[in-house]
Amino acid sequence: MECVTSVNYSVLINGSPEGMIIPQRGLRQGDPLSHYLFILCAEALSHLVNRAMEDMSLLGIKVAMQAPAVNHLLFVDDSLFFTLANKKAADKLKKIFGMYEKVSGQAINYKKSSITFGKKVSSDTQSKMRNILQIHNVGGIGKYLGLPKQTSNRKADMFAYITDKVKAVTQGWKQRYLSHGGKEVLLKSIALAMPIFSMNIFRLPKEICGNISSILARFWWGNGENKGLYWYAWERVCKPKREGGLGFKDLESFNQALLAKQVWRILQNPNCLMATILKARYFPDSTILTARVKTKASYAWKSLMFGKELLNKGMRIVIGKMKYYSYVA
């Protein structure tokens, strides 16, 4: 990082660059070079954690005996670390964080960080690890990357935030100034795109899909503050245009298609981290096509099994080559 000192800026005046501006605060957050520098720093942090795992000073967590151990995950500017709950692991993590801060110049904001413990970790051990790491916020609740960190029995309450987001964004649009063409563009490009990220991982309950469809129908047929008259059922509006509909996505069918796509990725990339962990946990002696829902299975796995039902309907197997092909009927 010492080789990167500063950058220079020039200003276009009548189409030609003029002057040379040298900022005094280093790289700005929106500078194109900052992304590559952040990746280099993240690679260094990942290397430190992997080296600690190799010398057995920072062990990872396994979800099954045959599963690979995972001690960290990096996503954009968020980092997740997994380790055993003991003083040795806390000291090693603290040492790695200090080394990373010293080399990269990036200080960790411990006030925005959180720590989560298992149910069997004693309160004394939790207190010691918090004091060593200087992280006192308790995690495990709320959302991470727009998805709930923990699932509950009441799935409708868990995904109610999606309904609230769709309702809030549609209420902000002025219906009286929009034609049906404008409404169609807004609903398809914005409202229907909001739950896609969650539908890639989880199966949304029918209650949530129904509530979102009601919000979209109310906006489509409404006129300002008036509810409007529903000329057609929303199921008919969701049919493809070649069948007389308007091409709006049926949320439940679209949700199943996105989950089937995840199953197809696992089938085509069996050596990726997600595939190896799921295989060790749920289908160690078979393939995902013959896997079943086990006792105490996670909600994400149950959702994948819902998507597998659709994949089995649109797939053929070439016996001689043992290859899988998917097709759209």
Side-chain angles (χ1 to χ4, degrees):
M1 296 300 294
E2 294 182 357
C3 62
V4 181
T5 56
S6 182
V7 291
N8 300 326
Y9 297 100
S10 58
V11 181
L12 289 177
I13 300 179
N14 296 329
S16 59
E18 299 290 344
M20 191 63 66
I21 302 173
I22 302 177
Q24 300 298 320
R25 295 186 178 182
L27 293 174
R28 296 177 61 88
Q29 186 174 1
D31 193 281
L33 188 60
S34 62
H35 305 289
Y36 297 99
L37 296 178
F38 179 80
I39 292 175
L40 292 176
C41 294
E43 287 289 339
L45 177 61
S46 180
H47 177 72
L48 290 174
V49 180
N50 287 332
R51 189 170 62 180
M53 186 172 177
E54 292 175 358
D55 59 20
M56 306 296 289
S57 60
L58 188 66
L59 299 178
I61 294 179
K62 291 185 177 182
V63 298
M65 292 297 296
Q66 301 177 359
V70 179
N71 61 356
H72 73 286
L73 293 173
L74 305 179
F75 189 89
V76 192
D77 57 347
D78 293 315
S79 303
L80 298 176
F81 298 91
F82 308 92
T83 184
L84 301 180
N86 53 49
K87 184 178 182 299
K88 179 181 177 181
D91 291 333
K92 188 62 180 181
L93 268 179
K94 187 66 175 180
K95 183 178 179 181
I96 292 175
F97 293 160
M99 189 182 304
Y100 173 75
E101 292 178 357
K102 182 179 179 181
V103 174
S104 65
Q106 297 180 348
I108 298 176
N109 191 340
Y110 293 99
K111 293 183 179 180
K112 292 184 178 180
S113 304
S114 61
I115 186 170
T116 306
F117 297 96
K119 296 180 179 180
K120 297 183 180 181
V121 180
S122 63
S123 57
D124 183 55
T125 303
Q126 295 182 20
S127 179
K128 288 181 180 179
M129 293 195 70
R130 288 196 188 98
N131 293 331
I132 294 174
L133 296 173
Q134 294 299 308
I135 300 176
H136 300 284
N137 297 328
V138 179
I141 56 177
K143 296 189 293 294
Y144 176 72
L145 301 176
L147 297 175
K149 293 182 181 179
Q150 293 181 344
T151 59
S152 60
N153 295 330
R154 181 61 178 171
K155 300 299 186 297
D157 295 338
M158 187 174 67
F159 294 103
Y161 69 95
I162 301 177
T163 306
D164 297 336
K165 288 173 61 177
V166 175
K167 185 177 182 180
V169 72
T170 54
Q171 286 181 345
W173 295 332
K174 301 296 183 181
Q175 300 183 44
R176 66 180 63 183
Y177 304 115
L178 291 173
S179 62
H180 277 86
K183 290 182 179 181
E184 180 181 357
V185 172
L186 287 177
L187 291 178
K188 289 183 177 180
S189 61
I190 299 178
L192 283 173
M194 298 181 74
I196 287 181
F197 186 63
S198 300
M199 290 193 299
N200 272 286
I201 310 298
F202 298 111
R203 177 185 181 181
L204 296 186
K206 293 185 178 181
E207 180 180 346
I208 297 297
C209 295
N211 292 339
I212 296 176
S213 299
S214 298
I215 295 173
L216 301 181
R218 191 179 304 113
F219 178 81
W220 174 257
W221 296 112
N223 183 15
E225 298 179 356
N226 299 325
K227 184 178 180 180
L229 182 62
Y230 288 39
W231 289 98
Y232 297 102
W234 188 248
E235 290 77 9
R236 183 175 178 181
V237 178
C238 291
K239 289 184 177 181
K241 292 186 177 180
R242 64 177 179 272
E243 298 180 8
L246 292 175
F248 287 102
K249 291 183 175 64
D250 179 80
L251 290 177
E252 190 172 0
S253 300
F254 186 49
N255 190 185
Q256 189 177 22
L258 291 176
L259 293 172
K261 185 177 181 181
Q262 298 294 344
V263 178
W264 179 254
R265 288 177 176 175
I266 295 174
L267 193 64
Q268 295 297 311
N269 300 282
N271 296 324
C272 67
L273 181 61
M274 180 181 66
T276 53
I277 291 177
L278 290 177
K279 180 177 178 59
R281 178 67 176 86
Y282 295 110
F283 54 100
D285 301 323
S286 60
T287 65
I288 192 172
L289 295 178
T290 58
R292 296 291 184 268
V293 178
K294 293 185 177 181
T295 307
K296 296 183 179 180
S298 66
Y299 187 62
W301 176 250
K302 294 179 181 179
S303 301
L304 289 177
M305 291 297 96
F306 173 65
K308 189 193 69 171
E309 298 175 3
L310 178 63
L311 185 64
N312 287 332
K313 295 178 181 178
M315 186 179 63
R316 62 188 178 92
I317 303 175
V318 179
I319 303 299
K321 299 180 180 179
M322 284 304 295
K323 291 185 177 180
Y324 303 98
Y325 298 92
S326 63
Y327 66 91
V328 178

